Amino acid sequence: MNIFQEVAEGVEAGASISEEKTLSVIDLIVNGGTGSIVIILVLFVLLFVALYIYFERIFAIKAASKIDKNFMNQIRDHIMNGKLDAAKILCAQTDSPVARLTEKGVSRIGKPLDDITTAIENAGTLEVYKLEKNVSVLATVAGAAPMIGFLGTVIGMILAFHQMASSGGQAEMGLLASGIYTAMTTTVAGLVVGIIAYIGYNHLVNRTDKVVHKMEANAVEFLDLLNEPI
């Protein structure tokens, strides 16, 4: 019976030690001091901004990439039949960058081909600018978040060594270790935010490039249409 009691006490002691060693993320943040809390809050704000921009842009790009496959065929039929007003109405009813570029081209029909090309290129530049709206902010977050996290860690290390210097080298190692690994949570948080923003940025750039390529393909198709003999 005594053996069972000793085993049970050993298990309870191990559990208590495990509980003492277990530290939640919230505890790490709270125990890091005012500086760590401020930096973590800044990183959370940056994460919210990054996620908001990513989802706002992904929905905008997805909407911009949608277009009826028969759109250019209908434009071709209207132009070949001389129904320029009908072509303009069709472009106005279609909310997409391709439609807006085509509308610019249709409104310039009758002018030199170079003028039509220039008008389409200028409209394309504006559409690309709309697609890339706030994407640069995402790139800034991807670069700034890890640096802000490193700043928090450096501040924590300075405070830890300052404590050691102030105590004449007699500071408890437990307190120093606690301060150091708590301060390093800012680095982890900064890297997490930076990685999320970086992946989101590259995904948006890839999706934007696909829409731009579609715009260019349709612009070339429209210009080829104008060069076809009637």
Side-chain angles (χ1 to χ4, degrees), residues 216-229:
E216 292 175 348
N218 281 272
V220 171
E221 184 178 353
F222 176 77
L223 293 175
D224 290 342
L225 171 61
L226 299 183
N227 286 324
E228 289 182 2

Side-chain angles (χ1 to χ4, degrees), residues 119-140:
I120 293 176
E121 289 176 351
N122 292 336
T125 301
L126 293 176
E127 293 298 330
V128 172
Y129 175 78
K130 292 178 182 178
L131 290 174
E132 294 178 346
K133 179 182 177 182
N134 293 330
V135 174
S136 60
V137 176
L138 205 59
T140 302

